[in-house]
């Protein structure tokens, strides 16, 4: 159990690096990794603004990349690490892709669908329910988002 917590922290640090990369594109800094057998099989960050695609969330992009890399839509045996609690769209994709675990950093009280606003992966009406591990490096994950939006607000005030 202690070893799993250490791995969760290490992989969340990698997801934070992806979130930092999103900043280079002026994207909301959310990063995601998909890990199988202790190895990263996919990584992504938000690309909604760059792609002008409402579905280009870090989680969905990582799921797509993992499916391609593993040549299957069933991500059994995989863990998703994401810096922000998944929204309803991403939570639905998590259930449908059969991910075993979801580890997230910051909670999202306005749009979080893994326990905050609602709990799609925990709904026993679905045929698949991944394990949800909230709050890994929560402060660090929340800080990058808060700083991003604070800078955005300051720019709007000054212009």
């Amino acid at each position: 159990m202690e070893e799993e917590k250490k791995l969760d922290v290490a992989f969340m640090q990698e997801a934070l690096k992806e979130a930092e990369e999103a900043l280079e594109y002026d994207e909301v800094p959310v990063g995601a990794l998909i890990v199988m057998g202790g190895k990263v099989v996919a990584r992504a960050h938000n690309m909604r603004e760059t792609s002008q695609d409402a579905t280009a969330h870090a989680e969905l992009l990582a799921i797509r990349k993992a499916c391609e890399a593993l040549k299957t839509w069933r991500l059994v045996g995989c863990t998703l690490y994401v810096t922000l609690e998944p929204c309803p769209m991403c939570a639905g994709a998590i259930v449908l892709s059969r991910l075993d675990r979801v580890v997230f950093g910051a909670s999202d009280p306005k749009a979080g669908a893994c326990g905050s606003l609602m709990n799609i992966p925990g709904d026993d009406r679905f045929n698949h329910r991944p394990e949800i591990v909230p709050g890994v490096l929560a402060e660090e994950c929340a800080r990058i988002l808060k700083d991003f939006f604070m800078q955005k607000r300051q720019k709007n005030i000054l212009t």
Side-chain angles (χ1 to χ4, degrees):
M1 192 63 142
E2 192 61 39
E3 185 63 29
E4 186 172 57
K5 285 182 182 180
K6 286 180 184 177
L7 283 173
D8 286 349
V9 168
F11 285 125
M12 189 60 73
Q13 288 169 332
E14 286 297 308
L16 274 164
K17 289 178 186 174
E18 279 296 319
E20 289 169 5
E21 191 169 324
L23 292 171
E24 295 177 27
Y25 299 93
D26 202 30
E27 295 280 352
V28 175
V30 176
L33 302 177
I34 295 184
V35 174
M36 181 181 207
K39 294 186 176 145
V40 176
V41 295
R43 57 176 62 232
H45 53 270
N46 274 1
M47 291 296 288
R48 287 190 311 173
E49 298 299 329
T50 303
S51 67
Q52 290 300 296
D53 178 353
T55 69
H57 288 203
E59 302 95 307
L60 288 184
L61 297 173
I63 288 169
R64 288 178 190 144
K65 289 178 180 181
C67 290
E68 186 176 329
L70 298 172
K71 299 186 181 351
T72 181
W73 63 266
R74 293 175 188 91
L75 299 179
V76 176
C78 294
T79 298
L80 169 69
Y81 291 88
V82 61
T83 57
L84 180 64
E85 179 180 359
C87 71
M89 174 180 66
C90 294
I94 287 162
V95 170
L96 294 173
S97 65
R98 310 293 196 270
L99 283 158
D100 284 359
R101 294 177 75 229
V102 176
V103 179
F104 70 84
S107 294
D108 186 351
K110 293 183 180 179
C114 291
S116 289
L117 184 63
M118 62 186 69
N119 189 0
I120 291 172
D123 190 323
D124 61 6
R125 293 173 291 181
F126 291 117
N127 65 340
H128 179 73
R129 285 176 297 287
E131 175 188 358
I132 304 295
V133 181
V136 175
L137 298 181
E139 289 181 30
E140 295 90 332
C141 293
R143 173 61 43 214
I144 193 171
L145 288 160
K146 287 177 185 173
D147 289 349
F148 174 79
F149 287 113
M150 188 182 325
Q151 288 178 346
K152 285 287 188 190
R153 284 189 295 276
Q154 287 174 344
K155 283 181 185 176
N156 286 340
I157 291 169
L158 298 176
T159 57

